[in-house]
């Protein structure tokens, strides 16, 4: 008789355990779904923020439609550094020697107007590039080249009042 009573108690505890496990699983599944949705929302917000920092409009142009225009070997005087401790006057002169490549979308409506005759507007573009780069010290230019690229892109797009130029690349960068 004692064996039957112990078996009945074990069976009752087993049924209670199964019932409580089922309740726990249903409550965890609901919470897990909400947590997964929250993580997805946070991940998408972070992704949007990273893409937004590269420019106002992230443009995906097929490589076949990209027309590069290179302005080679620009020598630009950088903003003077603060004088070193114990020195008087302003800091040293530093120069940047850059080649800038503008990536243009050949399928954009303004490409026919501006893009095909970029050589005639090169001096205007050089002026915008010089104004942007001169705002940076040597240390700032070395530590944050992406900011310089985005500032140049913004100024050139403002110059043309168009976004047919969608990317700026700095190559052959020599900072001294």
């Amino acid at each position: 008789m004692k064996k039957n009573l112990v078996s009945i108690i074990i069976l009752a505890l087993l049924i209670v355990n199964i019932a409580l496990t089922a309740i726990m699983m249903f409550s965890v599944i609901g919470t897990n779904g909400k947590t997964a949705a929250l993580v997805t929302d946070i991940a998408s917000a972070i992704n949007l923020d990273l893409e937004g920092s590269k420019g106002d409009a992230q443009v995906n142009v097929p490589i076949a439609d990209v027309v590069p225009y290179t302005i080679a070997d620009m020598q630009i005087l950088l903003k003077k550094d603060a004088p070193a401790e114990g020195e008087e006057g302003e800091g040293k002169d530093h120069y940047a020697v850059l080649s800038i490549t503008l990536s243009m979308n050949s399928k954009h409506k303004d490409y026919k107007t501006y893009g095909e005759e970029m050589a005639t507007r090169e001096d205007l573009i050089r002026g915008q590039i010089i104004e942007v780069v001169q705002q940076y010290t040597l240390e700032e230019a070395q530590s944050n080249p992406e900011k310089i690229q985005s500032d140049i892109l913004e100024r050139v797009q403002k110059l043309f009042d168009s976004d047919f130029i969608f990317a700026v690349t700095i190559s052959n960068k020599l900072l001294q």
Side-chain angles (χ1 to χ4, degrees):
M1 187 77 175
K2 284 186 177 182
K3 287 185 179 182
N4 285 339
L5 188 59
V6 172
S7 297
I8 291 174
I9 291 174
I10 290 174
L11 181 63
L13 289 175
L14 182 66
I15 292 172
V16 170
N17 188 15
I18 291 172
L20 290 176
T21 302
I23 292 170
M24 185 177 67
M25 287 302 292
F26 286 118
S27 66
V28 168
I29 288 173
T31 305
N32 188 20
K34 292 176 185 176
T35 303
L38 178 65
V39 168
T40 303
D41 290 344
I42 291 171
S44 65
I46 289 171
N47 190 22
L48 288 177
D49 185 34
L50 290 175
E51 289 178 2
S53 68
K54 294 181 180 177
D56 292 335
Q58 185 71 17
V59 180
N60 293 326
V61 178
I63 194 71
D65 297 337
V66 175
V67 177
Y69 183 79
T70 302
I71 302 173
D73 299 328
M74 295 182 63
Q75 184 174 346
I76 304 169
L77 177 65
L78 296 171
K79 182 177 167 183
K80 292 188 182 215
D81 292 332
E85 200 171 310
E87 290 183 10
E88 293 181 17
E90 296 182 357
K92 296 179 181 179
D93 286 338
H94 296 285
Y95 292 91
V97 179
L98 309 171
S99 291
I100 306 289
T101 301
L102 305 174
S103 298
M104 300 179 287
N105 181 357
S106 65
K107 300 293 183 191
H108 194 279
K109 62 181 178 176
D110 291 334
Y111 176 75
K112 289 194 186 303
T113 306
Y114 301 118
E116 293 176 348
E117 301 173 1
M118 287 297 282
T120 61
R121 295 174 177 87
E122 185 173 320
D123 289 335
L124 296 173
I125 298 168
R126 281 180 180 266
Q128 296 298 316
I129 293 169
I130 290 169
E131 286 179 20
V132 168
V133 175
Q134 282 180 337
Q135 297 174 359
Y136 292 92
T137 64
L138 176 66
E139 184 177 309
E140 293 169 341
Q142 288 173 333
S143 65
N144 201 357
E146 295 85 16
K147 176 74 171 130
I148 295 173
Q149 288 176 332
S150 66
D151 288 351
I152 291 171
L153 178 61
E154 183 180 312
R155 292 287 292 266
V156 171
Q157 285 178 341
K158 188 175 178 183
L159 173 70
F160 287 103
D161 195 26
S162 176
D163 60 351
F164 77 98
I165 297 173
F166 64 91
V168 172
T169 306
I170 298 175
S171 58
N172 299 333
K173 178 173 64 170
L174 175 65
L175 301 171
Q176 186 176 1

